[in-house]
Amino acid sequence: MTERPAKGTTAVEDPPVPEEPTPERDAPSRLWKVCAAALVLLVLGFAALGILSWQRVRHADEAAQRDQDVLAAARSELELMANLRHDSARNSLDQLRAGATGAFLAQFATADTAFFALLDQGQVDSTGRVAAAAVQRADDKSADVLVAVSAVVRNTDFPAGQARDYRALVSLTLQNGHWLVADARVVP
């Protein structure tokens, strides 16, 4: 039987006693915290890997584009040299100068009327093409390209033409966003 409080008095209940935490009760909440922390670390790890992969791909794309630009510049200059005609030599020389710098440009700076007269006198016509080109070394400021050229040179001594194949090592530098030939020399 439960006791009733006397008339005119109020019953006061004892406050509930908090239960002591037990290892069995804390285990699920601790497990959730550990799982949540592991999940956060896993997500952060995958995010970091994604960023690193993206940077590698971007860098590889930039290097591939740079190499294509370097090859195009080297091919263009050597194609101009392989296709020199006595009747358009001045125009060809101007085009060569536009894609040149340094020692390579200096070689064309000394071309004078005697050079053009010699081309006219010999009726020199060269037609050729770049057979192959490969980047040997490149960075963001300079590059070296190995170029194989095949040409046929006609003049008064060889009116039927004489085949000439040669390889050139072309050094380029980046100036104002354009790859310019700084040097070109025939190599064995």
Coordinates of all heavy atoms in Angstrom, one line a residue, residues 3 13 34 39 43 49-50 62 80 83 85 90 94-95 121 136 138 140 148 156 176-177 188:
E3 N 1.5 5.1 0.9 CA 1.2 6.1 1.9 C 0.7 7.4 1.3 O 1.2 7.8 0.3 CB 2.4 6.4 2.8 CG 2.7 5.3 3.7 CD 3.9 5.7 4.5 OE1 4.0 6.9 4.9 OE2 4.7 4.8 4.9
E13 N 7.9 14.4 -4.4 CA 8.6 13.2 -4.8 C 10.1 13.5 -4.9 O 10.5 14.6 -5.2 CB 8.0 12.8 -6.2 CG 6.6 12.3 -6.2 CD 6.2 11.8 -7.5 OE1 7.1 11.4 -8.3 OE2 5.0 11.7 -7.7
V34 N 33.1 7.5 -34.1 CA 34.3 7.0 -34.8 C 34.0 6.8 -36.3 O 34.8 7.2 -37.2 CB 34.8 5.7 -34.2 CG1 35.8 5.0 -35.0 CG2 35.3 5.9 -32.8
L39 N 34.5 8.6 -41.9 CA 33.9 9.0 -43.1 C 34.4 10.4 -43.6 O 34.7 10.6 -44.7 CB 32.4 9.0 -43.0 CG 31.6 9.4 -44.2 CD1 31.8 8.3 -45.3 CD2 30.1 9.4 -43.9
V43 N 36.4 11.2 -47.1 CA 35.9 12.2 -48.0 C 37.0 13.2 -48.3 O 37.3 13.5 -49.5 CB 34.6 12.9 -47.5 CG1 34.3 14.1 -48.4 CG2 33.4 11.9 -47.6
L49 N 42.9 13.6 -53.4 CA 43.3 12.8 -54.6 C 42.7 13.4 -55.9 O 43.4 13.4 -56.9 CB 42.9 11.4 -54.4 CG 43.8 10.5 -53.5 CD1 43.2 9.1 -53.3 CD2 45.2 10.5 -54.0
G50 N 41.5 13.8 -55.8 CA 40.8 14.4 -57.0 C 41.5 15.6 -57.5 O 41.8 15.8 -58.7
E62 N 48.7 21.2 -70.6 CA 49.5 22.4 -70.9 C 50.8 22.0 -71.6 O 51.3 22.7 -72.6 CB 49.8 23.2 -69.7 CG 48.5 23.9 -69.1 CD 48.7 24.5 -67.8 OE1 49.8 24.3 -67.2 OE2 47.8 25.1 -67.3
L80 N 59.8 27.2 -94.6 CA 60.1 28.5 -95.3 C 61.5 28.4 -95.9 O 61.7 28.7 -97.1 CB 60.0 29.7 -94.4 CG 58.6 30.2 -94.1 CD1 58.7 31.2 -93.0 CD2 58.0 30.8 -95.3
N83 N 61.7 26.0 -98.9 CA 60.9 26.5 -100.1 C 61.3 27.9 -100.5 O 60.5 28.8 -100.6 CB 59.4 26.4 -99.8 CG 59.0 25.0 -99.7 OD1 58.9 24.3 -100.7 ND2 58.7 24.5 -98.5
R85 N 62.7 30.5 -103.2 CA 62.7 30.7 -104.6 C 63.3 32.0 -104.9 O 63.1 33.0 -104.2 CB 61.3 30.7 -105.2 CG 60.6 29.3 -105.0 CD 59.1 29.4 -105.5 NE 59.1 29.9 -106.9 CZ 59.2 29.1 -108.0 NH1 59.4 27.8 -107.9 NH2 59.1 29.6 -109.2
R90 N 62.9 37.8 -101.2 CA 62.7 38.9 -100.3 C 61.5 38.7 -99.4 O 61.6 38.9 -98.2 CB 62.6 40.2 -101.0 CG 63.9 40.7 -101.6 CD 63.7 42.1 -102.2 NE 64.9 42.4 -103.1 CZ 66.0 42.8 -102.6 NH1 66.2 42.9 -101.3 NH2 67.0 43.1 -103.5
D94 N 61.5 38.0 -95.3 CA 60.7 38.7 -94.4 C 59.9 37.8 -93.5 O 59.8 38.0 -92.3 CB 59.8 39.7 -95.1 CG 60.5 40.9 -95.7 OD1 61.7 41.1 -95.3 OD2 59.9 41.5 -96.6
Q95 N 59.3 36.7 -94.0 CA 58.6 35.7 -93.3 C 59.5 35.0 -92.3 O 59.1 34.8 -91.1 CB 57.9 34.7 -94.2 CG 56.7 35.4 -94.9 CD 56.1 34.4 -95.9 OE1 56.6 33.2 -96.0 NE2 55.1 34.8 -96.6
Q121 N 70.9 35.1 -110.2 CA 71.8 34.7 -111.2 C 71.8 33.2 -111.4 O 71.9 32.6 -112.5 CB 73.2 35.1 -110.8 CG 74.3 34.7 -111.8 CD 75.7 35.1 -111.3 OE1 75.9 35.8 -110.2 NE2 76.7 34.7 -112.0
Q136 N 62.9 17.6 -78.6 CA 64.0 16.9 -77.9 C 63.9 17.4 -76.4 O 64.2 16.5 -75.5 CB 65.3 17.3 -78.5 CG 66.5 16.6 -77.9 CD 67.8 17.0 -78.5 OE1 68.0 18.1 -78.8 NE2 68.6 16.0 -78.8
A138 N 62.0 20.6 -73.8 CA 61.1 21.8 -73.7 C 60.8 22.2 -72.3 O 60.6 21.3 -71.4 CB 59.8 21.6 -74.5
D140 N 59.0 26.0 -70.1 CA 58.1 27.1 -70.4 C 58.7 28.3 -71.1 O 58.1 29.2 -71.5 CB 57.5 27.6 -69.1 CG 56.5 26.5 -68.5 OD1 56.0 25.7 -69.3 OD2 56.2 26.5 -67.3
A148 N 63.7 16.9 -89.5 CA 64.2 16.2 -90.7 C 63.5 16.9 -91.9 O 62.3 17.0 -92.0 CB 63.9 14.7 -90.7
T156 N 71.0 26.8 -112.0 CA 71.5 26.7 -113.3 C 72.4 25.5 -113.5 O 72.6 24.9 -114.6 CB 72.2 28.0 -113.7 OG1 73.2 28.3 -112.7 CG2 71.2 29.1 -113.9
N176 N 57.0 37.1 -75.8 CA 55.7 37.7 -76.0 C 54.6 36.7 -76.4 O 53.7 37.1 -77.3 CB 55.7 38.9 -77.0 CG 56.7 40.0 -76.5 OD1 56.8 40.3 -75.3 ND2 57.5 40.5 -77.4
G177 N 54.6 35.5 -75.9 CA 53.6 34.5 -76.2 C 53.8 33.8 -77.5 O 52.9 33.0 -77.9
P188 N 74.4 15.9 -87.9 CA 74.6 14.6 -88.6 C 73.4 13.6 -88.3 O 72.8 13.7 -87.3 CB 75.9 14.1 -88.1 CG 76.3 14.9 -86.9 CD 75.5 16.1 -86.9

